[in-house]
Amino acid sequence: MAQHPKGDFDLSRAVWQRAESDTSDSAVEVAFVDDLIGMRNSAEPDGPVLVFTQAEWDAFVAGAQDGEFDLA
């Protein structure tokens, strides 16, 4: 279990998902465990996991949908 200030993200219960169209070796993967969301790089499955609360995840998704993170 990964200790985190937001709570314990139980890696043993994580079911990692990625966009169906992403077949790359280094995809962003997410897992929803209880009220926390984990994000990792599929190229490093034993590497670090970013942990978000539901409110943080919702804000991130809304920002992405609004183009907040577009580079151009």
Side-chain angles (χ1 to χ4, degrees), residues 18-24 27:
R18 66 168 77 184
E20 289 181 23
S21 61
D22 192 342
T23 59
S24 69

Side-chain angles (χ1 to χ4, degrees), residues 8 10 13 32-37 54:
D8 294 331
D10 187 351
R13 294 179 41 225
F32 299 85
V33 178
D34 299 326
D35 58 345
L36 296 175
I37 297 93
Q54 187 65 53

Side-chain angles (χ1 to χ4, degrees):
M1 193 170 301
Q3 296 296 319
H4 195 276
K6 297 174 187 171
D8 294 331
F9 186 78
D10 187 351
L11 290 170
S12 70
R13 294 179 41 225
V15 177
W16 295 100
Q17 308 169 57
R18 66 168 77 184
E20 289 181 23
S21 61
D22 192 342
T23 59
S24 69
D25 292 333
S26 186
V28 172
E29 295 181 322
V30 297
F32 299 85
V33 178
D34 299 326
D35 58 345
L36 296 175
I37 297 93
M39 180 186 290
R40 72 176 185 183
N41 180 342
S42 65
E44 298 182 43
D46 295 322
V49 174
L50 299 174
V51 178
F52 299 90
T53 64
Q54 187 65 53
E56 290 168 333
W57 182 255
D58 292 343
F60 170 73
V61 170
Q65 290 172 334
D66 289 341
E68 184 176 332
F69 310 113
D70 291 353
L71 298 176

